[in-house]
Amino acid sequence: TVISREVWCTDPACDYSDGLEYEPVSHLIVHHTVSSNSSGDWAAVVRAIWYFHTFTRGWGDIGYNYLVDMNGVLYEGHLGGDDVIGTHAGGANAGTMALALIGTFTEPNQNPPGIEPPSPMLDSAAELLSWKADQNDIDVYDAGYLPNIDWGLPKLMGHRDVYGTTVCPGDQAHELLPSLREEVASRIQIDSPFIYVDELSEAFSKSDGNWLTPPGGCGFNGHAYYTWSTTNPADSTNWAEWRPDVTVNGAYEVEVYAPYCITGRSETRGATYQVTDANGTTTITVNHDANVGTWMSLGTFNFAASNSNIVRLTDLTTTDSGLGVWFDAIRLRPLEQPSDPIITNEWPSSGLWTPYRIVTFNWTVINPESVSESRLEVASDADFSNMVLIETVENEATSYTHTFDRDYARLYWRVAVTTLDGRRISSLPSLFGIDTVAPTSEVQAIYQLEDGRYVPVWTGSDATSGIASYTVDYWAEGDETRTSWQSDTPHTSAVFTPPDDRIYWFISQATDLAGLVEPVHTVGDISTSQAVQLKRVMFFPLNFR
């Protein structure tokens, strides 16, 4: 049961229809509101948060999709219903559902002091998150990409896990996320195909080297070890081994995890693993930096039913020194039969925008000898009911080039194969878009403040991928030299202090998410001579920076 907006928010400003955007939810984010931990009227607290977000923050609405109070009462947050994009985690807004725990859940000795989330609150949080995970088939133990984030993120996470720049949802709430994942998985009976081996389990051992742990409980299940890479064998001191206790002989795909954590440095490009199975020892190198925040496959191995199977990692690389090498959890996926093919999409990767209609698809196939037929499938919907391309390819092929006849905002692609015994196996679909048309923009208005400063306001449009940022230049009338003022900004207004009393012209230039840049304007968009003077009695919806 969720208290709807109509119940708790009676202000006319709560009801609007403009500006709502939607994105299917693939990730769940837990916040806290950093408000009082006691109240006689929690709906009033929700209203106060709505007012603060809407008018003080200037977000136009409450940022969270849902909120839950100390008694476990759930409240509908951001207007728009299911899958509406809220305003709560920057670039991670699209594709996420935000649940805010009403209160402060930092440690008691922190400022402000916090408490542990009470049981009724956690129970309702688990209910809501279970509903959404079940609805959208979200594996809360998994990780993956969001449309506007370049790194992978856990499917169920705290706000701090997105960028690592906030303590939200507080230490006492964040440390409960592993148990919250287990509770959600239990309620909807997630049947994970993976066997997880945590770096804190008895199946993990490490050297006595100088080990580091990331801040804020970062890492799979709230913890990880890391160290710095070295290319000098004499300086190599850190190694670790995972020994998964396999109970059934067979073929297993092994994946490793490198979390996105704030360490002050990037990750190694050459993490070198050694996997010992029934066939001996194999060395595999993976790029932690390019795949941070995601599970990375080491390949398929034949493990015996024992704990003699070893996955080993050291700090020694051939690619770099002084970069992060991650020793976090690993997982194993038992294959139905040793010869089953494994297909992995490589490019275009999920969330990619390409400015070209000629697209070369790349993928990998393990065990292609068990395949009787392969085909590349591209559709405009996630269910692959609206096919754009169906192309039969060679069973051992790993790429195919196709020219699309137009731009697409959403395309899903996969490689589907038929095995020799007639079963259909496909890669996990990847979402990408094609945008070949540059955006347009214009500085459309200038307002003059009472103190003589100006507020230029600009806007832009892009038919497919959307605007990523703007660049705004200015120059004095009669002067040919342009001065860069706003560079690569997502904002659409700013305060301009003129150097002198001359007339100043402004032009804008937009860049879209596909990386296309608007052609430079040949003439100015607008000048300060066209400014509208603002008086104190006037109200205007501008976001001053």
Side-chain angles (χ1 to χ4, degrees):
T1 301
V2 178
I3 305 300
S4 68
R5 288 173 61 96
E6 297 87 57
V7 173
W8 64 260
C9 194
T10 56
D11 192 305
C14 275
D15 187 15
Y16 65 94
S17 59
D18 295 336
L20 297 177
E21 297 180 353
Y22 292 83
E23 180 73 26
V25 169
S26 60
H27 291 63
L28 310 169
I29 300 182
V30 177
H31 295 257
H32 72 160
T33 61
V34 201
S35 52
S36 173
N37 290 321
S38 61
S39 174
D41 186 350
W42 291 108
V45 175
V46 176
R47 282 191 291 273
I49 296 170
W50 168 82
Y51 190 92
F52 177 70
H53 285 186
T54 302
F55 299 109
T56 305
R57 289 290 195 187
W59 294 346
D61 197 351
I62 194 168
Y64 315 117
N65 299 98
Y66 297 92
L67 304 93
V68 58
D69 67 24
M70 296 287 181
N71 300 317
V73 179
L74 289 159
Y75 301 84
E76 179 187 10
H78 198 285
L79 180 68
D82 208 12
D83 285 346
V84 70
I85 299 176
T87 310
H88 56 91
N93 289 332
T96 62
M97 185 190 80
L99 170 62
L101 311 181
I102 301 176
T104 300
F105 304 102
T106 54
E107 293 292 346
N109 59 352
Q110 291 179 328
N111 186 20
I115 64 170
E116 183 176 334
S119 295
M121 171 180 279
L122 292 175
D123 185 67
S124 292
E127 279 291 290
L128 182 77
L129 297 172
S130 297
W131 158 74
K132 194 61 183 178
D134 187 47
Q135 180 197 68
N136 283 19
D137 195 23
I138 299 171
D139 183 349
V140 292
Y141 294 114
D142 207 353
Y145 290 102
L146 286 167
N148 301 323
I149 296 290
D150 293 334
W151 53 89
L153 290 170
K155 293 297 182 75
L156 173 54
M157 59 182 155
H159 182 197
R160 68 174 65 175
D161 296 318
V162 178
Y163 294 107
T165 55
T166 176
V167 299
C168 182
D171 288 348
Q172 295 198 76
H174 192 267
E175 66 186 18
L176 296 177
L177 289 180
S179 61
L180 187 58
R181 290 190 187 100
E182 293 178 3
E183 185 65 28
V184 171
S186 174
R187 294 187 185 211
I188 62 176
Q189 298 180 336
I190 290 179
D191 186 16
S192 176
F194 295 101
I195 302 169
Y196 287 85
V197 184
D198 197 278
E199 82 287 352
L200 295 178
S201 71
E202 294 181 356
F204 176 84
S205 60
K206 59 183 176 64
S207 66
D208 294 328
N210 181 26
W211 293 96
L212 304 170
T213 56
C218 186
F220 181 79
N221 254 3
H223 182 274
Y225 290 114
Y226 72 97
T227 188
W228 307 120
S229 63
T230 179
T231 56
N232 185 357
D235 295 332
S236 177
T237 58
N238 291 67
W239 60 263
E241 292 181 348
W242 297 259
R243 291 177 176 262
D245 189 5
V246 175
T247 58
V248 178
N249 293 339
Y252 294 80
E253 182 184 18
V254 178
E255 295 183 337
V256 297
Y257 187 68
Y260 175 78
C261 302
I262 301 301
T263 65
R265 306 183 196 178
S266 58
E267 281 63 53
T268 180
R269 301 182 302 277
T272 304
Y273 294 83
Q274 288 184 324
V275 180
T276 301
D277 67 353
N279 298 326
T281 299
T282 305
T283 301
I284 309 98
T285 300
V286 296
N287 189 331
H288 280 184
D289 188 59
N291 300 283
V292 66
T294 65
W295 291 94
M296 294 161 273
S297 177
L298 300 184
T300 302
F301 302 91
N302 292 316
F303 285 159
S306 69
N307 62 356
S308 62
N309 311 291
I310 303 173
V311 179
R312 180 183 174 89
L313 175 63
T314 76
D315 56 7
L316 185 62
T317 75
T318 61
T319 56
D320 46 63
S321 291
L323 301 182
V325 185
W326 287 94
F327 299 75
D328 206 336
I330 69 169
R331 67 184 187 182
L332 285 65
R333 181 173 68 91
L335 304 180
E336 292 184 5
Q337 50 183 306
S339 60
D340 273 352
I342 301 172
I343 311 105
T344 305
N345 294 356
E346 297 290 341
W347 200 94
S349 56
S350 284
L352 175 80
W353 283 100
T354 175
Y356 308 104
R357 292 182 181 174
I358 301 176
V359 178
T360 298
F361 297 89
N362 292 291
W363 63 92
T364 60
V365 182
I366 298 174
N367 300 325
E369 63 275 4
S370 63
V371 176
S372 64
E373 183 182 75
S374 303
R375 68 181 194 178
L376 171 68
E377 299 177 346
V378 183
S380 60
D381 65 312
D383 294 329
F384 285 81
S385 57
N386 299 315
M387 288 291 191
V388 177
L389 171 67
I390 302 176
E391 184 66 33
T392 300
V393 296
E394 295 293 330
N395 292 336
E396 296 187 359
T398 57
S399 68
Y400 182 81
T401 300
H402 178 73
T403 302
F404 291 88
D405 59 357
R406 63 183 181 87
D407 291 359
Y408 287 87
R410 303 175 71 85
L411 285 176
Y412 297 83
W413 76 278
R414 68 187 179 191
V415 175
V417 304
T418 303
T419 62
L420 295 175
D421 59 358
R423 290 175 295 118
R424 177 182 167 88
I425 298 175
S426 64
S427 61
L428 292 176
S430 298
L431 169 65
F432 74 103
I434 301 173
D435 184 1
T436 62
V437 180
T440 60
S441 69
E442 178 187 15
V443 182
Q444 62 179 9
I446 297 181
Y447 300 91
Q448 186 175 15
L449 305 177
E450 290 184 322
D451 60 5
R453 295 181 299 164
Y454 296 90
V455 182
V457 178
W458 53 92
T459 187
S461 64
D462 185 81
T464 308
S465 63
I467 301 295
S469 63
Y470 298 88
T471 296
V472 181
D473 296 342
Y474 73 88
W475 67 91
E477 189 168 85
D479 193 343
E480 296 181 357
T481 302
R482 297 182 178 182
T483 299
S484 178
W485 178 45
Q486 301 290 317
S487 179
D488 296 328
T489 177
H491 302 292
T492 56
S493 67
V495 175
F496 172 74
T497 302
D500 48 44
D501 294 334
R502 291 183 291 175
I503 295 173
Y504 285 88
W505 285 87
F506 294 82
I507 59 168
S508 62
Q509 185 179 39
T511 302
D512 65 18
L513 291 170
L516 294 170
V517 180
E518 175 186 15
V520 177
H521 298 187
T522 58
V523 297
D525 294 340
I526 195 171
S527 73
T528 52
S529 65
Q530 300 163 277
V532 176
Q533 291 193 355
L534 296 177
K535 303 298 183 181
R536 290 182 180 177
V537 296
M538 297 179 66
F539 296 91
F540 51 100
L542 295 179
N543 178 23
F544 291 149
R545 299 289 297 175

